[in-house]
Amino acid sequence: MAKRYIVNDGKLFKRGLSGIRLRRLSGDEAMEVMHQSHAGTLAEHQGGLWVCKKLICLLAASRGKVKMEMETQKPFQVDVGNLLAFNPFHNFSSLPTSRDELVKECLEEGTKLIQAVADSLFNLPSTEDVDGPLVKLPPPTTKLPREKHLPKPKPPTKWEEFAKKKGIKKRKKDKVVWDEQTGTWKRRFGYDRVNDDKDIPIIEAKMTDEPGEDPFAKRQDDKKKRVEKQEKNRLQNLKQAAKLGALPSHVQLAATALPITGTQAPPKKVTKDELGNVAGMAATSTASGGKFDRKLPGEKPAKKQGKHRKFLPVIEGSGIGSREKEQTENVLNKLISKHSHGILNVGKAVTMYNVKKEKKARNRKNQEGKSSSTSNKLKPKKQLHKKAAKKGPESSKKRKAK
Amino acid sequence: MSNNEQTLRFCSSAIMMRIKTPKNGRVRRELEKRAPKLVETGKKTLILQGTKTSGTLNGVLSEIYHLKKGGAVRFTRKNDNIRPFESGGEASLEFFSLKTDCSLFVYGSHSKKRPNNLVIGRMYDHHVYDLVEVGVENFKSIESFNYDKKMAPRVGSKPFIAFVGEGFENVDELKHLKEVLLDLLRGEVVENINLAGVDRAYVCTAISLNKVYLTHCALRLKKSGTVVPRMELVEVGPSMDLVVRRHRLPNEGLRKEAMRTAKDQPKKKIKNVSSDAIEGTIGKIYIPDQKVGDVALPNKAKGVKRERREAKKKEANERASKKQREESE
């Protein structure tokens, strides 16, 4: 009797008469099945085996329905390309009291999600490799923003546009060319090339040639000009590409000089001494005369450090203390002095004043009727020299006297 | 006046420019690596800190650096002029991003108002694209977990990422945080993956409306009946609670531009394959000329054998005749 029963994966099976294993239904399941079958879901009563099969199908379907009711939120959002799974339906109705429980629940949910990803991942077609099975991932479905802009296609250069218009096609050139002169294959460019300028021994003179012109030098100049023109064209093409934002990644355009604004003259180059002077002035222009400024590594100390003003001590005394008194005395003497020969020559000041007065009168006379004497011409000149010889304070004195 | 304007216009176009190209092959290759590509892989992360950091924050930053070892740059000095949420405080960040070619950054700072603050941000074209500010609570470092060291995930392996919680769908800030975390934790986008090498997973659960529990686990694959192994998670790495504080979404225009993808790549032309309407795919095979005479024959042909036999006979005859001659002499 016992041999009729088999246990498979925790479920009890009975070998039926027709040789197929029949599963032992539990009491509840049996009731449910019988109820459903008699309710008329079955088409007609068939033989025992057929009935059993149908019943099992029904049972599975009903169980499935029950399962769906429990987990209506079964569909997780799975993105295999990113190995990502998202469960948008889970919520903590009540926060678990302890941290450990929270962690446990989170890990459980996480495991379910990762199992879902792994289901789809391991079912992808795999190729065998040395290290293990290699699987080709599908592209990720979640869109994420780019980190850099999309590369823009390079605009056609001026030559390319021209060639397209004229229909000129590129022809592949060989690296080596047959050189008839030496009878060998030589490079098209580079060391020991085919048509090198310096290999030409003789240039025949033409009728159109100007006498006194060196044809070899002329050839070199022409080549230089051509190279410069090509460089200029290349720069223009790159500038055009840079304007559209399509500069090739290894090229950078750097400005060599600031744009010329206002005057057309280029900025003057400053000498080292001038710069040093200006730097020194700037360094000592702080309140403490540049004494406490932090120096850059390698910077030499400023030439004139510290303040230039010298304040005399306030407290009077002998020696240094009496200096201030001396100073003020000197100044006062200079200003208010009866015997101030050294400063003001009163006689000379008077004569100068008189001469000026006479000159004015003479000018008025001249305006009325022209009469200019040579003696007048000489005199002012002499006076001019004298004037120039006088020092500054005298002239100011004269002005004051006026 | 018009004369001056004319001269100015002329001068502005006469800016002297010089073409700079690298003289080194190494520098040229580096520049090409940094150029914008049609299909992008792998964003690098810049990890730096502000004027003040706490002990936990230092731990967080160094652990994030360990997790992203291959594609991260760590700055250890303090930067007091970086304020990501202020309009002028991003200049330094953008400069660093340009120099290190990083488009993700994690900036940590600690203050009384915002303790253990992390600002995770992304860059587009080396300008700030969007920012999320989170506070770190209940941080547990890698050292505090006990696990079997053999199961530890290896550096650089592609992780599984799981997001749990309806908060990630409903709450704006959490949605943004989800996108940023995905970008941060994802690693390189690869086409082929070795199934034996999947060994790590990140689990992020939305605990409340503004809190997320993030943890890093090692994967254990257990045998099950089918091809798909049963997954088991073991917490190994850092785990922390992230509290969302502030966030800044990108401008609409900038977002649209950044989300633009290249249209399907122009198919790479496979050589010697053409397609015909009637016959389908046709391939051409070029065979070089056979040198029939030089080929060594695989098996001894009868003719060859005969020749050998005759040659041997001839030799034998000659030897015999020689001997006779000698004998006669």
Side-chain angles (χ1 to χ4, degrees), chain B residues 31-49:
Chain B
L31 283 174
E32 274 171 20
K33 265 193 223 168
R34 292 189 178 196
K37 299 181 207 91
L38 223 56
V39 175
E40 283 181 346
T41 63
K43 294 187 182 183
K44 285 212 288 195
T45 314
L46 177 65
I47 304 173
L48 36 67
Q49 50 208 71

Side-chain angles (χ1 to χ4, degrees), chain A residues 138-171:
Chain A
T141 50
T142 10
K143 277 184 135 194
L144 287 169
R146 285 178 63 93
E147 63 169 332
K148 289 179 189 144
H149 60 268
L150 279 166
K152 295 195 187 103
K154 209 171 120 172
T157 59
K158 280 189 92 175
W159 168 255
E160 279 173 5
E161 283 171 3
F162 178 77
K164 200 166 150 203
K165 200 170 65 163
K166 292 278 186 173
I168 303 170
K169 294 242 187 313
K170 256 194 197 176
R171 248 179 278 165

Side-chain angles (χ1 to χ4, degrees), chain A residues 4-6 12-16 20-24:
Chain A
R4 283 203 173 191
Y5 289 87
I6 304 164
L12 190 62
F13 288 82
K14 178 182 178 184
R15 186 172 295 172
I20 297 176
R21 286 173 277 180
L22 305 170
R23 218 180 84 189
R24 287 281 278 126

Side-chain angles (χ1 to χ4, degrees), chain B residues 12-270:
Chain B
S12 63
S13 64
I15 299 172
M16 305 294 284
M17 280 206 169
R18 182 169 61 95
I19 305 169
K20 269 170 80 174
T21 47
K23 304 280 185 243
N24 234 347
R26 177 178 61 91
V27 176
R28 178 186 270 258
R29 269 174 260 131
E30 271 299 321
L31 283 174
E32 274 171 20
K33 265 193 223 168
R34 292 189 178 196
K37 299 181 207 91
L38 223 56
V39 175
E40 283 181 346
T41 63
K43 294 187 182 183
K44 285 212 288 195
T45 314
L46 177 65
I47 304 173
L48 36 67
Q49 50 208 71
T51 30
K52 202 163 107 176
T53 51
S54 60
T56 44
L57 201 62
N58 277 335
V60 171
L61 290 174
S62 52
E63 307 239 319
I64 295 178
Y65 177 59
H66 280 309
L67 288 177
K68 301 207 73 190
K69 206 50 175 285
V73 177
R74 173 114 163 88
F75 283 179
T76 41
R77 288 227 185 127
K78 64 174 184 165
N79 306 290
D80 23 353
N81 50 354
I82 294 183
R83 283 168 222 282
F85 278 90
E86 282 169 42
S87 62
E90 305 156 353
S92 206
L93 265 178
E94 292 177 358
F95 175 71
F96 289 144
S97 155
L98 184 68
K99 286 292 170 179
T100 55
D101 195 33
C102 289
S103 54
L104 273 167
F105 69 88
V106 176
Y107 170 77
S109 67
H110 177 78
S111 69
K112 205 162 171 193
K113 188 174 174 189
R114 291 181 230 273
N116 295 334
N117 203 25
L118 267 187
V119 179
I120 312 173
R122 290 185 288 189
M123 301 272 195
Y124 177 73
D125 254 354
H126 302 295
H127 295 294
V128 169
Y129 175 74
D130 65 354
L131 306 160
V132 178
E133 188 177 47
V134 285
V136 176
E137 292 172 9
N138 300 329
F139 171 66
K140 282 181 85 183
S141 79
I142 296 181
E143 281 96 42
S144 58
F145 287 96
N146 309 320
Y147 55 94
D148 184 15
K149 300 292 175 195
K150 282 186 227 161
M151 283 195 306
R154 274 169 289 185
V155 175
S157 53
K158 191 147 169 79
F160 282 88
I161 312 177
F163 286 98
V164 181
E166 60 181 11
F168 283 123
E169 181 98 349
N170 304 334
V171 184
D172 234 359
E173 291 150 325
L174 289 186
K175 233 201 282 187
H176 192 202
L177 180 65
K178 171 171 172 272
E179 204 186 315
V180 174
L181 277 180
L182 174 63
D183 226 345
L184 182 70
L185 303 171
R186 168 160 86 142
E188 267 191 49
V189 179
V190 285
E191 244 191 48
N192 298 319
I193 188 171
N194 188 355
L195 290 178
V198 291
D199 52 2
R200 60 163 80 189
Y202 292 98
V203 178
C204 318
T205 351
I207 307 176
S208 75
L209 281 176
N210 62 347
K211 238 194 211 184
V212 168
Y213 174 67
L214 169 68
T215 177
H216 173 234
C217 312
L219 279 182
R220 233 204 206 158
L221 310 176
K222 290 218 165 133
K223 271 196 190 168
S224 79
T226 56
V227 186
V228 183
R230 202 158 54 86
M231 296 286 177
E232 205 186 282
L233 297 179
V234 177
E235 264 201 290
V236 290
S239 78
M240 57 190 102
D241 273 356
L242 302 174
V243 178
V244 178
R245 287 184 184 148
R246 289 188 282 185
H247 76 128
R248 196 212 282 182
L249 289 165
N251 305 336
E252 255 319 298
L254 192 59
R255 198 184 74 86
K256 277 204 183 134
E257 203 195 318
M259 289 297 206
R260 257 201 294 175
T261 50
K263 288 177 190 164
D264 19 343
Q265 278 166 294
K267 276 190 202 154
K268 279 199 177 159
K269 188 156 184 2
I270 312 168

